[in-house]
Amino acid sequence: MEIEITLSGVDPLLILGVNNDRLSQIQSAFPKLKIMARGAVIKAAGEASEIESLQKKIIEFESFYGKYNRISEKDFADILDSNTQEWKSNKGGEILLYGNNGNQIKAKTVNQKKIVEACGKYDMVFAIGPAGTGKTYTAVALAVRALKNKEVKRIILTRPAVEAGEHLGFLPGDLKEKLDPYLQPLYDALRDMIPGARLAEFIEDGVIQIAPLAFMRGRTLDKAFVILDEAQNATKSQLKMFLTRMGASAKFVVTGDVTQIDLPKKSQSGLFSSLKILDAVDGVKIIKLDSRDIIRHPLVDKIVKAYEKDQDEE
């Protein structure tokens, strides 16, 4: 079977690429077809079912461009990969809140949406996935929304103060100045969602508390949205300590990346055991994100996959 597909409503370069480099990617995705292009016309020959799939993919490209007026390299790759396209189709999903400058903050992938849904049903949620999957950012957005809606009285954000190849003792400043770099990603997320002056007030008044995990010991965290970030760098005893701080009216979210453990070699991450121990506990929900959820620079996705491949080969 042979067919001609004429691109409409979109610059052919956005689909075919300069020197047909994107056409080569399309050809790789449909190895059973013989595909050629001239101008806005794509010619394809091969099995009818494969040609039908190609037509649907071209329609997806045209539809995406018509909606967003762009097709980045990342968007192109996601649409081309039928296994991941559905993960990026949530761009019109629920708005969690409006950040600074009126920016809409919402879940952008299926698993991010699962985090949102889980937090609505469960008081303790684990969000586990690689770098760039938005697990921490989504959790912080949910916490800020809960605070604005007066569902909680405070937000507590914490991380283990574990060095990633550096040593605290060599860093300048007092204890707070030594620890702040470890908590910076949490500050960054908050600054996207709360005006600077208001955020400073919240921190000054204790409405938003950002502290190392060790500072949670002995506390009862109630009427609060509590996030433990980088949980893979907590030991089993530390995680147990943290999880048992939960008050009667609290929401806990634990985020972690089991591929980026910075603990000393003699120490084992408590995240693995916690996931196993709590998997069947009623009231606890575990959401697992993967490379399909990565929303940073397209290279991040490629880097994660390359390291996953290297680990599999070891």
Side-chain angles (χ1 to χ4, degrees):
M1 179 177 179
E2 295 184 4
I3 193 173
E4 289 188 356
I5 304 170
T6 302
L7 299 172
S8 61
V10 59
D11 185 345
L13 280 176
L14 294 174
I15 306 297
L16 305 176
V18 178
N19 297 322
N20 283 343
D21 60 335
R22 286 188 172 181
L23 180 63
S24 298
Q25 295 178 52
I26 295 174
Q27 179 66 77
S28 297
F30 295 91
K32 295 182 180 180
L33 294 179
K34 183 178 180 181
I35 305 173
M36 297 182 294
R38 177 172 293 180
V41 178
I42 299 174
K43 295 182 179 181
E47 297 178 5
S49 59
E50 289 289 302
I51 287 178
E52 182 180 356
S53 296
L54 174 63
Q55 287 178 301
K56 289 180 179 179
K57 199 61 60 178
I58 298 301
I59 291 172
E60 287 181 28
F61 286 130
E62 293 174 336
S63 177
F64 187 95
Y65 180 79
K67 188 173 184 179
Y68 300 108
N69 294 314
R70 62 173 176 81
I71 304 180
S72 68
E73 289 292 339
K74 178 69 172 171
D75 295 326
F76 181 84
D78 288 339
I79 295 171
L80 191 58
D81 186 346
S82 60
N83 292 323
T84 61
Q85 169 55 15
E86 62 178 292
W87 296 74
K88 308 299 178 180
S89 63
N90 191 44
K91 294 186 178 181
E94 175 190 5
I95 297 173
L96 300 180
L97 72 155
Y98 289 91
N100 296 332
N101 301 318
N103 295 331
Q104 294 181 355
I105 297 174
K106 52 189 175 181
K108 295 181 178 179
T109 71
V110 167
N111 278 330
Q112 288 179 14
K113 186 176 180 181
K114 286 181 180 179
I115 295 174
V116 175
E117 293 171 348
C119 284
K121 299 177 181 178
Y122 299 87
D123 288 333
M124 184 175 291
V125 176
F126 284 75
I128 310 301
T133 51
K135 53 190 183 296
T136 300
Y137 197 85
T138 302
V140 172
L142 288 168
V144 173
R145 183 178 71 171
L147 182 66
K148 288 186 175 183
N149 292 344
K150 298 183 178 180
E151 297 168 7
V152 297
K153 291 187 176 181
R154 54 185 173 156
I155 296 173
I156 299 173
L157 308 174
T158 184
R159 284 179 135 203
V162 175
E163 300 107 318
E166 299 182 41
H167 298 284
L168 282 171
F170 296 119
L171 295 175
D174 58 22
L175 180 60
K176 181 181 183 302
E177 291 171 325
K178 289 176 184 289
L179 293 171
D180 270 355
Y182 293 93
L183 307 172
Q184 198 60 47
L186 301 174
Y187 286 108
D188 290 342
L190 287 169
R191 290 190 185 103
D192 277 355
M193 304 172 195
I194 303 174
R198 186 60 171 158
L199 176 58
E201 290 178 8
F202 279 149
I203 294 175
E204 180 71 23
D205 296 339
V207 175
I208 295 179
Q209 301 173 23
I210 307 176
L213 178 59
F215 287 27
M216 298 298 108
R217 190 175 298 279
R219 301 181 63 183
T220 298
L221 308 177
D222 197 14
K223 297 179 181 177
F225 199 115
V226 187
I227 299 172
L228 169 59
D229 192 33
E230 300 287 349
Q232 76 276 3
N233 288 329
T235 64
K236 184 176 180 179
S237 61
Q238 286 177 322
L239 261 172
K240 180 182 177 183
M241 175 274 292
F242 171 76
L243 297 175
T244 54
R245 301 304 94 204
M246 192 176 198
S249 302
K251 184 83 69 176
F252 271 39
V253 176
V254 178
T255 70
D257 176 2
V258 294
T259 68
Q260 291 189 349
I261 298 173
D262 300 314
L263 287 167
K265 291 183 179 180
K266 293 183 180 180
S267 301
Q268 292 186 343
S269 172
L271 186 57
F272 292 101
S273 57
S274 293
L275 294 174
K276 183 178 179 180
I277 292 168
L278 301 176
D279 186 42
V281 174
D282 187 35
V284 177
K285 183 66 174 179
I286 298 172
I287 305 295
K288 294 184 178 180
L289 302 92
D290 57 40
S291 59
R292 293 173 293 184
D293 295 290
I294 291 175
I295 52 175
R296 291 181 180 172
H297 192 284
L299 270 177
V300 176
D301 187 18
K302 296 178 182 179
I303 290 169
V304 169
K305 289 179 178 177
Y307 273 92
E308 287 176 348
K309 181 181 179 181
D310 179 71
Q311 188 174 18
D312 291 340
E313 293 175 351
E314 289 182 354

